[in-house]
């Protein structure tokens, strides 16, 4: 069965970077685009961007350009998202989600990122 | 960016009651998708491409709509349906979610 296993919670300091991972299993990794989504209590769900694991091609929500960088490692079927220049506003739960045409059929369990000094 | 406005923001329903949640888009979209989320869990796909039930979703749920107005309906509310429901659209390059409707059981 399809599974997306995300890395554990992170407590990071303002101004630093963090790299989250999402390991896919149960399907051919390069067959579906992977997305990243941010969830906060105040802003709800926000789409960050998408990556084509086969080509490495990416597309970002304008709001997250320069903040998020999406990459993949095909050899381990893992997608990554690096968040840079972190501020408290980046504190959130981040999900990876597999694209099915225009919706998301599979979601990871989420990674909580807390930005605090 | 296409803005999705859900209503109501919160609501309480009794067991057996019919529930309707609305999602209005700021511009016309081709499809609307819905997710159910319970506390501490990831969103689950619930209704996709406006009216198709995701795997395992009870048939008391239905979805409808077109253009800028979409809805999710529950016939005969059950306790397990208490959750937050989000709508989502993807008219490339704009992908947005509604702000959610929290549904509680009386």
């Amino acid at each position: 069965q399809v599974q997306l296993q995300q890395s554990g919670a992170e407590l990071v300091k303002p101004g630093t970077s963090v790299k989250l991972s999402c390991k896919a299993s149960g399907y051919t990794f390069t067959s579906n685009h992977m997305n990243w989504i941010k969830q906060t209590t105040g802003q709800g769900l926000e789409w960050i961007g998408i990556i084509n694991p086969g080509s490495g091609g990416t597309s970002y929500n304008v709001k997250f350009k320069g903040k998020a960088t999406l990459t993949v490692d095909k050899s381990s079927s893992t997608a990554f998202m690096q968040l840079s220049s972190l501020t408290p506003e980046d504190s959130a739960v981040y999900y990876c989600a597999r694209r099915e045409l225009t919706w998301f059929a599979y979601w990871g369990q989420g990674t909580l990122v807390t930005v605090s000094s | 960016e296409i803005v999705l406005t859900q209503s109501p923001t919160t609501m309480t329903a009794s067991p057996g009651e019919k529930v309707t949640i609305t999602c209005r888009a700021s511009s016309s979209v081709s499809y609307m998708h819905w997710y159910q989320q319970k506390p501490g869990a990831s969103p689950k796909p619930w209704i996709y491409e406006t009216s198709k039930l995701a795997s395992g979703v009870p048939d008391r749920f239905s979805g409808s709509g077109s253009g800028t107005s979409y809805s999710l309906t529950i016939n005969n509310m059950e306790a397990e349906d208490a959750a937050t429901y989000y709508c989502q659209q993807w008219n490339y390059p704009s992908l947005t979610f509604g702000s959610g409707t929290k549904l509680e059981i009386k």
Side-chain angles (χ1 to χ4, degrees):
Chain A
Q1 73 282 22
V2 174
Q3 288 191 325
L4 302 176
Q5 183 65 39
Q6 296 188 237
S7 48
E10 300 271 5
L11 173 59
V12 293
K13 294 190 184 308
T16 64
S17 298
V18 68
K19 192 170 186 177
L20 312 183
S21 67
C22 170
K23 182 172 176 57
S25 61
Y27 72 100
T28 301
F29 182 59
T30 53
S31 296
N32 296 79
H33 297 177
M34 192 69 76
N35 293 259
W36 290 85
I37 294 156
K38 177 183 182 182
Q39 185 169 35
T40 59
T41 303
Q43 297 295 319
L45 293 163
E46 295 181 279
W47 176 70
I48 297 170
I50 184 172
I51 185 164
N52 178 338
S55 66
T58 56
S59 179
Y60 295 91
N61 181 338
V62 169
K63 179 178 177 179
F64 292 94
K65 278 188 178 177
K67 170 63 66 176
T69 302
L70 306 185
T71 57
V72 296
D73 176 6
K74 287 190 282 187
S75 69
S76 63
S77 298
T78 303
F80 299 94
M81 178 174 68
Q82 179 159 323
L83 299 169
S84 61
S85 304
L86 291 164
T87 72
E89 287 65 44
D90 297 315
S91 295
V93 175
Y94 292 88
Y95 295 101
C96 59
R98 195 186 91 168
R99 175 188 176 185
E100 305 293 325
L101 296 177
T102 62
W103 58 291
F104 306 113
Y106 299 95
W107 295 62
Q109 83 275 23
T111 295
L112 175 64
V113 174
T114 304
V115 183
S116 174
S117 54
Chain B
E1 176 179 281
I2 296 176
V3 176
L4 300 181
T5 303
Q6 287 186 237
S7 60
T9 303
T10 61
M11 67 178 299
T12 304
S14 300
E17 188 175 341
K18 181 177 181 179
V19 171
T20 298
I21 298 170
T22 297
C23 180
R24 297 195 188 278
S26 58
S27 298
S28 182
V29 299
S30 301
Y31 292 112
M32 193 63 70
H33 316 293
W34 296 86
Y35 302 86
Q36 181 198 68
Q37 187 177 33
K38 294 190 175 182
S42 307
K44 289 183 179 179
W46 213 245
I47 296 174
Y48 66 98
E49 294 175 358
T50 302
S51 60
K52 298 175 182 176
L53 300 186
S55 177
V57 174
D59 62 7
R60 61 181 177 274
F61 284 85
S62 63
S64 64
S66 64
T68 60
S69 184
Y70 293 83
S71 63
L72 176 156
T73 299
I74 309 172
N75 283 303
N76 301 316
M77 172 80 182
E78 294 193 10
E80 67 177 15
D81 302 334
T84 300
Y85 293 86
Y86 296 92
C87 56
Q88 175 250 314
Q89 67 78 29
W90 195 348
N91 260 24
Y92 191 85
S94 172
L95 193 166
T96 52
F97 292 88
S99 55
T101 294
K102 186 175 183 180
L103 174 60
E104 298 173 321
I105 189 82
K106 272 186 195 168

